């Protein structure tokens, strides 16, 4: 098992893979903002990957600039052939380690309320919720985030 920052060619390989769950609109944002993509390889083949934005949180639900010691982690996926092997926590751990070496110690991530696997994954890692938001969208013209609850940090 090896982890590394993926090259542009490897990133294209990830996008072209039939199991990849990165959407086209997200791909443009990730590449335009020079986000980092870390991959976990088994026997030389990419098994899992995760993106990291060092400039801003670019979630569909909330956007804000990041401080020099912060990072926004997003778009993690394990390819189907490798699921069930607990690779995502290992990959996240390696990303934390890399980001800590660059001086980043605070990490943000968004999770949809009904995405139970993602919530359990983040609980395993010791993540704490900051806010519970309701995202309202009517067509392409009206979008609004309403904070339902703020958690103690």
């Amino acid at each position: 098992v090896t982890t590394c920052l993926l090259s542009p060619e490897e990133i294209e390989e990830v996008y072209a893979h039939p199991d990849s769950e990165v959407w086209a609109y997200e791909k443009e944002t990730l590449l335009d903002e020079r986000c980092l993509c870390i991959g976990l390889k088994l026997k030389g083949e990419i098994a899992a990957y995760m993106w990291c934005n060092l400039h801003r949180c670019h979630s569909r639900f909330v956007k804000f600039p990041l401080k020099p010691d912060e990072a926004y982690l997003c778009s993690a996926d394990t390819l189907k052939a490798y699921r069930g092997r607990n690779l995502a926590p290992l990959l996240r751990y390696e990303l934390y380690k890399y980001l800590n070496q660059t001086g980043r110690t605070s990490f943000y991530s968004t999770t949809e309320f009904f995405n139970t696997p993602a919530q359990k994954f983040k609980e395993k890692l010791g993540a704490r919720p900051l806010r519970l938001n309701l995202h309202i969208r009517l067509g392409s013209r009206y979008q609004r985030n309403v904070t339902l609850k703020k958690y103690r940090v």
Side-chain angles (χ1 to χ4, degrees), residues 38-124:
I38 189 169
L40 188 141
K41 295 180 179 181
L42 292 172
K43 298 179 186 172
E45 186 175 318
I46 298 168
Y49 58 90
M50 181 178 302
W51 287 87
C52 173
N53 193 331
L54 305 178
H55 312 291
R56 71 182 183 109
C57 170
H58 66 266
S59 164
R60 294 182 297 159
F61 309 113
V62 63
K63 296 174 183 357
F64 57 90
L66 296 171
K67 296 175 187 166
D69 66 335
E70 298 175 335
Y72 172 64
L73 312 180
C74 59
S75 303
D77 191 23
T78 302
L79 299 179
K80 287 180 185 172
Y82 299 99
R83 289 187 184 156
R85 298 183 188 187
N86 228 13
L87 297 178
L90 174 62
L91 182 59
R92 179 70 70 111
Y93 170 76
E94 291 295 329
L95 182 56
Y96 287 160
K97 202 163 69 170
Y98 172 80
L99 291 171
N100 277 307
Q101 291 170 356
T102 66
R104 298 186 192 280
T105 55
S106 295
F107 310 112
Y108 295 99
S109 183
T110 57
T111 305
E112 293 184 30
F113 186 77
F114 295 106
N115 188 345
T116 307
Q119 292 212 19
K120 287 182 180 177
F121 163 67
K122 290 175 183 175
E123 268 179 35
K124 256 193 232 183

